[in-house]
């Protein structure tokens, strides 16, 4: 069943927030190489959408995907170990921040090619339902993806074949540095309308509003409805990628950033709980993340001799590159 | 002994695997009416849920198949035009192929990409005449190019059963081949075969060019004993099988319908010379660098590897070092 418990919703938002802050610390400490795309500010979307789903439902995430994977139920310790490139990571150190995924909890990959995952999820949901499984899917993407032809093709396939996929657009206002106004002709909802898909806009900063809106859409889909689109308006609190901590890019006015940060999903959901409950959740989350950091840093790096492992599911072995 | 055409061998392979395994289904453009004359009769036999005709959305339905494979099915996509593989190269390479490694072995993506009519069909010009198998061998996607009806059946069956993505190129130049076939059996991926035994030179021929190589070998039979090696699978390649042949003959000629630069022939020659001391410089007959097939038939033929070029290459190889 979907989970409308405000405490659990708060816990998920808080977990993602503190996970990301600790991950940024680990980037700065050199423990996470390659940096991350922080999900800070957008936590309410992953938390709200996944609270509207069941355990058996499927999702796909993005390069800014830590929140999706955590909200769907992956173990934060193995997630953090993956970011640190450790053999105990979700992907055995083969995926890293952009691809960290746990198929065991229904995350069919975190896909770093913008707009690519919608068609993959549509195929997966279609195939599982054809087999008789009662499930739906949710695919996350940003405002940049709405200009990718592949995603629009996926809208068409899902609508044409009535595959119950919730297309979740996390509109944070920028595709890397490109503002929506400079990139999107027409509207995001208008793209859905063109394919006969219902579209709803929600305040992505309010986890409960996201949850309630998505729960209603998911209920319609489970009742036999086709795909729907939810446009969650949000704001990215931090950099597109942590490289911006070193290289300042001038594309967001400081007053806009301040205004965006003033609507914090952690505070919005936290304000719905008694202070004592909030403090107790915070402490519990901190303990989980203390353990996660400890687990990740104590885990071994993969053996270089295993670099070609998992390249082929069939057991095929590739020639090595040496002379 | 029943006579079987290459196309019907493909049809039989699809029908047999769909019968054997409920998780196998087909998708592609115009497959319900068998526009490419490969899915003939399958809609009636298996229904529209397993013979899924798609809109013209190659990128989306290629990734749709990736998702369906992640969910436990074995999709087979038919592409009517070989050049569509350029359009979906991203979906195959960046997603289907990379998922097992990127997820640390959490998944498999058993999709078969079937291209009935790869290479030149004469008169179909620049955007319908490519033969991009070397690209897939380069990125490490299992790549097969059957030359005969028996191999078309056997390799397609093995491709569908493989837990990794496999591209099956059925060359236009081989689609009209008919042969007496006793047993329709799976042919293992990664295993080549000697089509014609010989002692003086090994000719590696890819796909439909196997038949040209056999014809040239017969023409030259009074001058030279040609062994014809058909790799059948280009990736993974049967290096041991080829090295065994070249170790006996000491000479190597490759005829390959790839563009010359970074084509399969270059890789075959490089690997053989790493492992075998040849009696003569190896030779290759290929499309030119950067070939775009021109429309006019004489021009189309002029940029494809031909029998005369192969014959000349064999004779040059024989003169050299003797």
């Amino acid at each position: 069943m979907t989970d409308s418990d405000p405490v659990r919703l708060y816990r998920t938002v808080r977990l993602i927030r503190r996970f990301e802050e600790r991950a940024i610390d680990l980037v700065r400490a050199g423990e996470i190489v390659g940096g991350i795309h922080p999900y800070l500010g957008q936590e309410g979307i992953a938390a709200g959408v996944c609270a509207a789903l069941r355990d058996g439902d499927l999702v796909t995430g993005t390069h800014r995907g830590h929140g999706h994977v955590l909200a769907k139920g992956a173990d934060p310790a193995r997630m953090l170990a993956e970011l640190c490139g450790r053999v105990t990571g979700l992907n055995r150190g083969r995926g890293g921040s952009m691809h960290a995924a746990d198929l065991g909890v229904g995350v069919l990959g975190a896909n770093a090619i913008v707009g690519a995952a919608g068609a993959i999820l549509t195929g997966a949901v279609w195939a599982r339902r054809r087999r008789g499984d009662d499930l739906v899917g949710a695919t996350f993407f940003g405002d940049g993806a709405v200009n990718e032809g592949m995603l629009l093709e996926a809208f068409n396939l899902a609508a044409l074949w009535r595959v119950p996929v919730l297309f979740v657009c996390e509109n944070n206002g920028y595709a890397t540095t490109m503002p929506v106004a400079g990139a999107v002709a027409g509207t995001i909802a208008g793209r859905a309308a063109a394919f006969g898909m219902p579209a709803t806009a929600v305040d992505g900063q309010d986890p409960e509003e996201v949850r309630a809106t998505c729960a209603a859409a998911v209920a319609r889909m489970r009742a036999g409805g086709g795909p729907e689109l939810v446009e969650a308006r949000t704001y990215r609190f931090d950099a597109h990628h942590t490289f911006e901590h070193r290289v300042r890019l001038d594309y967001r006015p400081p007053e806009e950033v301040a205004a965006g940060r003033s609507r914090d999903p952690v505070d919005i959901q936290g304000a719905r709980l008694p202070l004592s409950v909030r403090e107790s959740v915070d402490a519990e989350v901190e303990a989980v993340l203390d353990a996660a950091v400890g687990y990740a840093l104590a885990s071994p790096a993969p053996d270089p001799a295993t670099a070609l492992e998992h390249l082929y599911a069939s057991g095929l072995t590739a020639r090595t590159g040496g002379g | 002994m029943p006579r079987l055409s290459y196309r019907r061998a493909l049809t039989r392979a699809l029908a047999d695997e769909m019968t054997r395994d409920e998780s196998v289904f087909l998708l592609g453009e115009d497959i319900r009416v068998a526009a490419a004359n490969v899915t003939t009769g399958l809609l009636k036999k298996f229904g529209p849920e397993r013979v899924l005709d798609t809109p013209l959305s190659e990128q989306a339905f290629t990734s749709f198949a990736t998702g369906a494979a992640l969910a436990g099915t074995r999709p087979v996509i038919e592409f009517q035009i070989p050049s569509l593989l350029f359009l979906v190269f991203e979906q195959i390479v960046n997603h289907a192929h990379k998922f097992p490694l990127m997820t640390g072995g959490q998944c498999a993506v058993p999709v078969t990409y079937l291209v009935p009519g790869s290479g030149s069909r004469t008169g179909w010009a620049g955007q319908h005449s490519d033969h991009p198998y070397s690209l897939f061998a380069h990125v490490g996607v299992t790549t097969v190019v059957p030359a005969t009806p028996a191999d078309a059946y056997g390799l397609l069956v093995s491709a569908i059963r493989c837990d990794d993505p496999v591209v099956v190129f059925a060359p236009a130049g081989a689609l009209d081949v008919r042969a007496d076939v006793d047993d329709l059996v799976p042919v293992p991926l990664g295993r080549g075969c000697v089509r014609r035994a010989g002692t003086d030179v090994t000719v590696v021929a890819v796909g439909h060019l196997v038949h040209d190589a056999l014809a040239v070998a017969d023409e030259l039979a009074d001058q030279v004993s040609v062994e014809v090696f058909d790799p059948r699978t280009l990736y993974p390649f049967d290096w041991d099988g080829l090295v065994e042949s070249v170790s006996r003959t000491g000479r190597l000629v490759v005829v390959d319908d790839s563009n010359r630069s970074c084509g399969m022939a270059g890789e075959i020659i490089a690997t053989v010379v790493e492992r075998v001391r040849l009696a003569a410089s190896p030779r290759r007959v290929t499309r030119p660098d950067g070939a775009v097939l021109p429309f006019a038939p004489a021009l189309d033929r002029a940029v494809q590897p031909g029998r005369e070029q192969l014959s000349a290459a064999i004779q040059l190889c024989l003169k050299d070092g003797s």
Side-chain angles (χ1 to χ4, degrees), chain A residues 113-125:
Chain A
I113 302 298
V114 171
I120 294 173
L121 186 72
T122 302
V125 171

Side-chain angles (χ1 to χ4, degrees), chain B residues 22 30 45 58 65-66 68 73 102 146 149 161 163 194 196 216-217 224 271-272 275:
Chain B
E22 270 286 317
D30 309 303
K45 190 163 183 194
E58 293 84 8
T66 299
T73 65
M102 291 200 314
R161 294 181 190 178
D163 284 339
V194 172
R196 182 186 197 280
V216 169
V224 53
T271 299
V272 168
R275 292 179 58 176

Side-chain angles (χ1 to χ4, degrees), chain B residues 1-6 148-150 176-182 211:
Chain B
M1 191 179 284
R3 195 98 176 131
L4 185 66
S5 77
Y6 192 112
T148 67
D176 293 327
V177 173
R178 305 175 78 86
D180 295 328
V181 179
D182 279 329
H211 305 288

